[in-house]
Amino acid sequence: MDYRRIAIEAELSEARGAQLCIAHARTALPHRDACSLAVAGGYANFLGPRSPLSEAVGVGVAESAGIADVDRIVEFYIARGSVPRVACGPHVDRALVEALRARG
């Protein structure tokens, strides 16, 4: 059994689930300005500055991610008055981890 592949699929499934929540919120909660940004195989999601769904998930899991991707995520959240948050599991691209460290 390939446990690494299972873990990666679980992280990608979480990212797709969050994306579906954001898509539904666009219709159900139009006043919340729900939106998302596709980044390096995952999504930066926004449903308000205090929402637990307002974080980037699945980024750098199935695709490589670097400083340009981190910059896009930061700009996405800052433009909405929100603190950038990136969920990182154990299987994210190492370049993403280094880019996050470099960005602070």
Side-chain angles (χ1 to χ4, degrees):
M1 185 171 281
D2 186 354
Y3 292 109
R4 181 179 187 282
R5 186 77 224 149
I6 292 169
I8 289 170
E9 286 300 322
E11 288 188 50
L12 294 174
S13 179
E14 177 186 0
R16 287 188 295 270
Q19 178 63 20
L20 289 172
C21 288
I22 295 298
H24 177 70
R26 281 189 201 109
T27 304
L29 305 167
H31 62 283
R32 297 291 296 269
D33 295 323
C35 56
S36 63
L37 173 71
V39 182
Y43 300 96
N45 298 306
F46 180 77
L47 189 57
R50 294 187 189 113
S51 172
L53 290 176
S54 293
E55 70 175 353
V57 291
V59 176
V61 175
E63 295 181 17
S64 181
I67 194 73
D69 299 303
V70 171
D71 287 344
R72 288 180 62 214
I73 292 167
V74 169
E75 290 168 11
F76 176 80
Y77 288 110
I78 296 297
R80 288 158 180 80
S82 187
V83 174
R85 294 190 324 244
V86 180
C88 291
H91 301 291
V92 298
D93 182 33
R94 300 309 306 161
L96 174 62
V97 174
E98 294 305 318
L100 290 167
R101 282 187 185 135
R103 189 72 157 95

